[in-house]
């Protein structure tokens, strides 16, 4: 066996001593002189030695508690591997055999090993050491403040013995069995590539505790490195709201000139002074805290005070629209305000950090504004594509995000990412593995100077696949780790003889995602990303895996993926039924998805919950339950309960782009207009996926037109008739038989339902063919990727109350 030493920064070197051992083994030479035997034939040959304080750690001694946890971890897993129970003692017990020194102690100090130590607000002191020589094995690291160095050292050592933590809890563990445990000489020192390595989780408290332990086993850090600048935290730093009447100049102004008592005036020196004093008071009350955060309310908050408006650079936010004042970037004035606050705080607390966020309308890096060295920036690109890598030329969104991150990192040496690790914000929880994306992204982020992550996520491991979370955790410690080797190791240990088809199952999904030209962070694009070819490959792979799995454990793991695939099948069927106007069937597909989730939860709740409670499930918006209810509503509208179907409009329509707004002047809505030169496209698929997308993923933005024809049965003469489009993106106008009917105002493209509904009774001609025309504005924001008409339209006759 060749032992590789991992060093800080992800580098690997081969110890010449290990090469000698490997050579000796190949030549049949006795290499036992180099071995420290911890367990021999199931019998303990060593003892775990800790500082006396760690034997019964006090509640207020966090470092001792971490050492105790590490010691018990090592004891538990050695027992699981070999059956041997190593005692945990302090050095006064003078145990015989090998001493496994866990954490700092007088015995560990005697080795002069230079164990990582220290704690500053910059959070650069994290790390651990493993040293095995003679009759001493040292497993120790920095345990001060938020650090878990000793626990990482133990986890690393156990991993070298073959233990894996693929998922939280015992279900996700892999522990090899061997009666003898011996080690060669070791001298390993590691520190992480990223300071902050965490995500916060939508789940139950019990599951959160299990996942916190999983994070430590995989060298993530569930504790606070830099304080989260939470939405609305600026309210803690604004002047007393009672002063709004007497000193309104201390507060921001709304666009109508009224005072906003929850946000400071960003250019008023006194407002910055008040904020600084309140920040200093927080540090006085909590002298251990290394940082506190400040951020305005969620959304697109802006100070419209006249002096602040003068400082606005006039850049439009990537999610904003030209000409809409509320949607302009405010990075310059916001960072200037935080700078003024930070300079004041630094006079009293020179080493403390103030965190703020580059989020929403502060996402763009500020122009012409430097950033004070005691500021840390949380970058949060809520608008960005989540399927492609930063260096993927198909995704302008990810390339743009990378450009922005590099600019932020040039301005600030403490930039970290608040990612949306769902993988999609709005999701049907269909499989979205992104290990290849992670393998490309993490080395780039390290190179650019990003210092870490504190992502928002949920506990549905079936959604991203086990390897995605596992790989993410490992790469956050070592950005250059060998992901292919990691995946080979995972599939072999998790699926046994079914590993090859199981890897093909997940690879086929990931390859499809990697190849797609479509961008987004809501699953409205996913029915077009998943392909029939991919579905066939997945089905064939699962069939083969079921035949090869030969243990109860492996068969259960394959069953999980069978359920994940069935869940995806129902999702695709739900989309197809909705596009066909078969709403009862679509609702039944939604119900079937939830039934599959119940089975997955019964196997392990980390895979997927069988509910969509907002906090526990992390499903805030347009989940499968909501979709099922919506399809039942449409079934009632068209099936006789609340209305009757008049006509299901054709799936295909005549289509034309209108970049110069010619259509409304040239009569494109007229029934007699000659549409022969127009394209024919599906109304159940975003228009840009049908020939209006650049190689970089830029969609056409501007006005677009649809023309359709439908016969209204004569039986509906004298009855009310309503036009219904379930989803148009983002603003629409409707004509019927040349008569203007209605305008649906702007709504963001991701919203669901995103309907245009209008009474057209006075304009239709029962018993004849009717011409229906839609003019749609895409909103002019490329990041929103508005798709025009994206669902099947229909005419229905609503039931009149009392009849």
């Amino acid at each position: 066996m060749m032992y590789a030493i991992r060093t800080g920064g992800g580098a690997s070197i081969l110890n010449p001593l290990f090469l000698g051992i490997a050579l000796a083994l190949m030549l049949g030479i006795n290499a036992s002189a180099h071995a420290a035997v911890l367990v021999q034939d199931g019998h303990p040959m060593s003892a775990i030695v800790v500082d006396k304080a760690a034997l019964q750690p006090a509640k207020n001694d966090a470092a001792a508690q971490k050492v105790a946890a590490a010691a018990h971890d090592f004891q538990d897993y050695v027992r699981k591997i070999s059956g041997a129970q190593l005692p945990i003692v302090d050095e006064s017990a003078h145990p015989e055999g090998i001493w496994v020194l866990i954490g700092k102690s007088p015995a560990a100090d005697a080795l002069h090993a230079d164990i990582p130590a220290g704690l500053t607000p910059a959070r650069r002191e994290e790390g651990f050491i493993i040293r095995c020589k003679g009759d001493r094995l040292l497993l120790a690291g920095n345990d001060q403040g938020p650090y878990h160095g000793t626990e990482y050292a133990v986890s690393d050592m156990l991993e070298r013995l073959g233990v894996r933590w693929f998922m939280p809890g015992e279900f996700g563990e892999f522990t090899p069995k061997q009666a003898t445990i011996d080690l060669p000489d070791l001298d390993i020192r590691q520190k992480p590539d990223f300071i902050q390595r965490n995500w916060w989780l939508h789940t139950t408290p019990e599951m959160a505790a299990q996942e916190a332990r999983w994070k430590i086993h995989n060298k993530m850090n569930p504790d606070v490195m830099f304080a989260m600048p939470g939405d609305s935290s600026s309210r803690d730093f604004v002047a007393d709201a009672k002063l709004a009447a007497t000193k309104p100049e201390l507060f921001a102004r709304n666009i109508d000139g009224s005072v906003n008592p929850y946000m400071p005036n960003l250019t008023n020196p006194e407002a910055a002074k008040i904020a600084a004093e309140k920040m200093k008071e927080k540090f006085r009350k909590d002298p251990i805290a290394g940082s506190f955060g400040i951020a305005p309310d969620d959304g697109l908050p802006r100070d419209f005070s006249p002096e602040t408006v003068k400082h606005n650079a006039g850049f439009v936010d990537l999610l904003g629209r030209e000409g809409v004042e509320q949607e302009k970037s405010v990075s310059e004035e916001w960072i200037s305000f935080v700078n003024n606050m930070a300079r004041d705080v630094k006079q009293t607390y020179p080493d403390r950090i103030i965190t703020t966020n580059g989020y929403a309308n502060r996402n763009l890096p500020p122009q012409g504004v430097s950033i004070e060295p005691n500021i840390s920036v949380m970058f949060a690109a809520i608008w960005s594509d989540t399927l492609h890598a930063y260096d993927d030329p198909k995704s302008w969104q990810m390339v743009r995000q990378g450009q922005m991150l590099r600019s932020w990192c040039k301005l600030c040496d403490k930039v970290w990412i608040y990612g949306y690790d769902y993988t999609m914000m709005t999701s049907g929880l269909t499989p979205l593995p992104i290990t290849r994306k992670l393998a490309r992204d993490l080395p780039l982020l390290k190179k650019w100077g990003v210092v870490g992550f504190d992502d928002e996520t949920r506990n549905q491991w079936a959604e991203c696949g086990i390897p995605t979370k596992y790989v993410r955790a490992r790469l956050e410690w070592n950005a250059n780790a060998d992901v292919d080797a990691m995946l080979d190791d995972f599939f072999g240990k998790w699926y046994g003889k079914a590993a090859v088809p199981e890897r093909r199952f997940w690879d086929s999904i990931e390859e499809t995602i990697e190849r797609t030209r479509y961008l987004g962070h809501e699953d409205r694009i996913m029915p077009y990303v998943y392909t029939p070819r991919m579905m066939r490959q997945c089905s064939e792979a699962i069939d083969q895996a079921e035949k090869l799995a030969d243990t109860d454990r492996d068969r259960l793991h394959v069953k999980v993926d069978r359920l994940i695939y069935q869940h995806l099948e129902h999702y695709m069927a739900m989309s197809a039924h909705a596009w066909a106007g078969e709403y009862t069937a679509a609702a039944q597909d939604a119900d079937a998805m939830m039934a599959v989730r119940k089975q997955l939860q019964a196997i392990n709740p980390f895979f997927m919950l069988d509910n969509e409670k907002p906090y526990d499930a992390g499903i805030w918006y347009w989940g499968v339950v909501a979709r099922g209810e919506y399809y039942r509503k449409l079934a009632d509208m068209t099936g006789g309960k609340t209305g009757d179907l008049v006509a299901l409009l054709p799936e295909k329509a005549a289509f034309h782009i209108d970049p110069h707004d010619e259509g409304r002047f040239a009569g494109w809505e007229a029934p007699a207009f000659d549409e022969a030169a127009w394209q024919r496209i599906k109304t159940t698929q975003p228009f840009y996926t049908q020939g209006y997308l650049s190689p970089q993923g830029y969609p056409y933005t501007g006005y677009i037109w649809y023309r359709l024809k439908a016969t209204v049965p004569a039986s509906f003469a004298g009855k009310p008739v309503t036009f219904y489009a379930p989803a148009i993106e983002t603003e629409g106008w409707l004509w019927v038989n040349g008569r203007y009917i209605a305008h649906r105002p702007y709504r963001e493209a991701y919203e669901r339902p995103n309907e245009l509904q209008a009474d057209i009774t006075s304009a239709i001609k029962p018993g004849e063919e009717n011409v229906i025309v839609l003019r749609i504005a895409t909103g002019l924001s490329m990041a929103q990727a508005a798709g025009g008409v994206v669902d099947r339209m229909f005419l229905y006759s609503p039931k009149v109350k009392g009849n």
Side-chain angles (χ1 to χ4, degrees):
M1 178 180 292
M2 188 174 294
Y3 292 85
I5 302 179
R6 293 287 180 192
T7 62
S12 291
I13 61 174
L14 295 178
N15 189 319
L17 173 60
F18 297 163
L19 291 173
I21 293 172
L23 181 61
L25 290 172
M26 287 188 292
L27 295 176
I29 299 171
N30 187 347
S32 62
H34 299 288
V37 180
L38 306 186
V39 177
Q40 181 74 52
D41 296 326
H43 300 289
M45 305 294 288
S46 58
I48 298 168
V49 179
V50 299
D51 187 84
K52 188 174 183 178
L55 290 178
Q56 291 184 320
K59 289 184 178 180
N60 62 350
D61 192 343
Q65 290 175 11
K66 295 171 189 177
V67 171
H72 286 285
D73 238 15
F74 194 79
Q75 181 188 57
D76 290 345
Y77 284 99
V78 166
R79 184 184 68 252
K80 290 178 182 180
I81 294 169
S82 67
Q85 178 89 354
L86 304 187
I88 300 175
V89 298
D90 66 24
E91 63 183 285
S92 66
H94 301 292
E96 295 183 356
I98 304 296
W99 285 22
V100 181
L101 302 170
I102 293 183
K104 290 188 175 184
S105 67
D109 292 341
L111 299 180
H112 305 290
D114 190 22
I115 299 169
L119 180 66
T120 67
R123 300 298 191 247
R124 306 277 178 173
E125 308 84 16
E126 195 173 14
F128 68 82
I129 183 172
I130 296 175
R131 179 174 292 178
C132 183
K133 192 169 181 64
D135 60 355
R136 296 291 187 268
L137 168 62
L138 174 64
L139 305 172
N142 193 345
D143 297 319
Q144 293 181 251
Y147 301 143
H148 294 264
T150 296
E151 291 169 285
Y152 298 154
V154 165
S155 296
D156 190 275
M157 188 70 255
L158 291 170
E159 186 177 330
R160 291 169 189 274
L161 297 177
V163 179
R164 300 291 184 270
W165 298 274
F166 294 127
M167 283 182 67
E170 189 173 350
F171 178 89
E173 295 178 3
F174 175 87
T175 306
K177 303 298 181 184
Q178 57 189 73
T180 297
I181 300 175
D182 56 13
L183 300 174
D185 287 356
L186 295 170
D187 194 357
I188 300 163
R189 185 176 294 271
Q190 289 188 18
K191 63 180 181 179
D193 281 341
F194 297 100
I195 295 171
Q196 187 147 299
R197 306 176 309 284
N198 195 22
W199 58 61
W200 67 272
L201 186 67
H202 294 285
T203 190
T204 64
E206 296 79 12
M207 294 170 72
Q210 289 185 60
E211 189 174 70
R213 198 70 209 150
W214 176 89
K215 288 177 180 178
I216 291 171
H217 281 145
N218 286 290
K219 300 178 195 163
M220 294 184 73
N221 194 318
D223 292 347
V224 175
M225 292 292 188
F226 297 121
M228 182 77 71
D231 293 333
S232 303
S233 53
S234 63
R235 297 186 179 204
D236 293 338
F237 303 98
V238 73
D240 191 326
K242 295 177 182 178
L243 294 175
T246 57
K247 298 198 73 174
E249 67 274 12
L250 295 176
F251 303 89
R253 297 277 179 163
N254 299 311
I255 193 169
D256 62 2
S258 60
V259 171
N260 179 355
Y262 306 118
M263 184 174 180
N265 182 314
L266 299 183
T267 49
N268 184 296
E270 188 178 353
K273 180 70 175 175
I274 291 170
E277 290 302 321
K278 288 178 176 284
M279 180 64 76
K280 286 187 278 189
E281 180 62 20
K282 281 185 172 288
F283 284 123
R284 277 193 289 271
K285 289 181 177 179
D286 190 352
I288 298 175
S291 60
F292 283 111
I294 178 171
D297 290 354
D298 199 0
L300 300 174
R302 184 176 172 190
D303 176 15
F304 283 96
S305 301
E307 192 61 32
T308 302
V309 170
K310 291 179 186 178
H311 286 76
N312 184 271
F315 296 113
V316 178
D317 185 78
L318 284 165
L319 272 179
R321 294 167 290 166
E322 293 283 352
V324 181
E325 287 296 314
Q326 298 96 315
E327 296 178 8
K328 284 185 176 178
S329 170
V330 299
S331 295
E332 286 75 22
E333 54 262 49
W334 175 258
I335 292 297
S336 294
F337 172 80
V338 178
N339 273 341
N340 290 334
M341 177 185 177
R343 280 191 289 269
D344 191 326
V345 171
K346 188 177 181 180
Q347 295 177 21
T348 306
Y349 296 100
D351 63 344
R352 305 301 172 84
I353 305 297
I354 295 172
T355 62
T356 192
N357 57 4
Y359 164 70
N361 57 359
R362 295 149 335 266
N363 198 214
L364 296 181
Q367 297 288 326
V369 179
S370 61
I371 297 179
E372 289 294 310
N374 59 329
I375 291 175
S376 175
V377 174
M378 182 190 83
F379 178 79
I382 192 171
W383 50 271
S384 189
D385 173 29
T386 58
L387 299 182
H388 299 86
Y390 287 110
D391 61 352
D392 192 329
K394 297 190 300 297
S395 177
W396 75 268
Q397 291 189 13
M398 289 303 292
V399 171
R400 184 69 47 83
Q401 187 185 150
Q403 293 165 338
M404 293 164 63
L405 271 168
R406 292 196 293 276
S407 294
W408 277 109
C409 288
K410 288 177 182 177
L411 292 168
C412 177
D413 65 354
K414 291 177 286 294
V415 174
W416 46 284
I417 293 175
Y418 184 92
Y420 298 90
D421 177 28
Y422 283 137
T423 301
M424 290 201 157
M425 291 281 288
T426 302
S427 176
L429 303 186
T430 55
L432 287 165
I434 54 167
T435 61
R436 301 179 188 200
K437 169 180 163 62
L438 293 169
R440 292 167 69 170
D441 282 350
L442 272 292
L444 286 173
L445 294 172
K446 176 189 172 185
K447 177 182 175 182
W448 295 340
V450 171
V451 300
F453 313 86
D454 200 348
D455 299 330
E456 180 177 348
T457 189
R458 53 183 168 241
N459 73 337
Q460 281 82 353
W461 289 60
E463 178 185 11
C464 63
I466 298 168
T468 293
K469 285 188 181 290
Y470 180 68
V471 166
R472 182 186 289 275
R474 312 297 295 182
L475 290 178
E476 289 187 6
W477 180 271
N478 176 2
N480 295 306
D482 187 334
V483 173
D484 278 338
M486 204 183 302
L487 292 174
D488 284 342
D489 180 69
F490 163 74
F491 281 100
K493 288 180 168 61
W494 192 250
Y495 296 106
K497 291 181 180 179
V500 172
E502 278 290 355
R503 181 155 189 181
R504 192 162 62 247
F505 173 85
W506 286 101
D507 278 351
S508 64
I509 300 172
E510 191 149 5
E511 285 168 4
T512 301
I513 291 169
E514 192 175 41
R515 284 196 305 263
T516 188
R517 296 174 59 222
Y518 308 145
L519 316 179
H521 68 286
E522 300 108 15
D523 78 323
R524 58 194 167 104
I525 67 166
M526 291 314 299
Y528 321 109
V529 172
Y530 297 124
T531 64
R533 178 175 180 269
M534 184 208 82
M535 296 294 289
R536 287 194 302 272
Q537 289 175 334
C538 287
S539 179
E540 291 167 0
I542 286 294
D543 287 346
Q544 187 178 1
E546 288 174 335
K547 294 174 183 176
L548 292 175
D550 64 347
T551 69
D552 289 343
R553 175 182 176 276
D554 296 344
R555 281 190 285 267
L556 181 60
H557 293 171
V558 172
K559 180 181 178 181
V560 167
D561 288 354
R562 168 64 76 183
L563 292 171
I564 290 171
Y565 178 69
Q566 289 176 354
H567 187 264
L568 175 59
E569 282 186 308
H570 291 306
Y571 173 83
M572 296 298 284
M574 179 177 67
S575 299
H577 283 133
W579 297 338
E582 298 167 353
Y583 299 118
T584 297
Q588 290 170 346
D589 292 321
D591 294 341
M593 291 177 73
M594 298 308 295
V596 171
R597 293 184 190 184
K598 187 178 290 293
Q599 295 181 67
L600 283 165
Q601 178 171 329
I603 294 171
N604 189 295
F606 277 99
F607 282 123
M608 200 174 286
L609 297 182
D610 67 351
N611 65 69
E612 291 193 342
K613 294 177 182 177
Y615 192 87
D616 291 356
I619 306 296
W620 296 99
Y621 182 75
W622 199 234
V624 169
V625 172
R627 298 181 207 196
E629 291 172 352
Y630 177 66
Y631 292 135
R632 275 184 275 275
K633 171 188 168 184
L634 297 191
D636 290 346
M637 288 164 54
T638 57
K641 186 173 182 179
T642 59
D644 296 299
L645 181 67
V646 174
L648 186 66
L649 297 186
E651 185 176 16
K652 283 194 171 183
F655 174 85
H656 208 283
I657 62 173
D658 190 8
H660 305 297
D661 196 17
E662 296 176 281
R664 61 194 176 104
F665 302 102
W668 291 6
E669 80 285 357
F673 177 78
D674 184 3
E675 63 189 44
W678 285 26
Q679 299 292 317
R680 302 283 295 177
I681 71 167
K682 290 183 176 181
T683 60
T684 54
Q685 187 168 335
F687 78 92
Y688 60 77
T689 67
Q690 302 178 73
Y692 299 90
L693 193 70
S694 80
Q696 297 79 27
Y698 289 107
Y700 165 83
T701 55
Y703 295 110
I704 54 180
W705 290 71
Y706 295 80
R707 289 175 58 91
L708 305 97
K709 296 175 182 177
T711 299
V712 174
S715 59
F716 284 96
K719 295 182 181 179
V721 176
T722 296
F723 168 87
Y724 191 89
I728 64 164
E729 302 167 353
T730 58
E731 184 174 6
W733 295 261
L734 172 68
W735 290 263
V736 175
N737 294 324
R739 183 186 297 184
Y740 173 73
I741 298 294
H743 166 234
R744 208 296 305 282
Y746 169 84
R747 291 173 62 180
E748 293 192 5
Y750 76 89
E751 294 185 40
R752 290 295 183 273
N754 212 334
E755 57 210 338
L756 191 165
Q757 181 172 208
D759 185 345
I760 61 172
T761 307
S762 62
I764 62 163
K765 298 176 181 179
E768 300 181 30
E769 186 176 70
N770 294 261
V771 178
I772 297 168
V773 180
L774 281 165
R775 173 184 185 259
I776 293 176
T778 64
L780 303 183
S781 171
M782 293 177 294
Q784 286 207 33
V789 179
V790 293
D791 216 334
R792 195 68 175 270
M793 299 178 286
F794 58 86
L795 309 180
Y796 78 101
S797 179
K799 297 286 188 183
V800 178
K801 290 182 179 180
N803 293 345

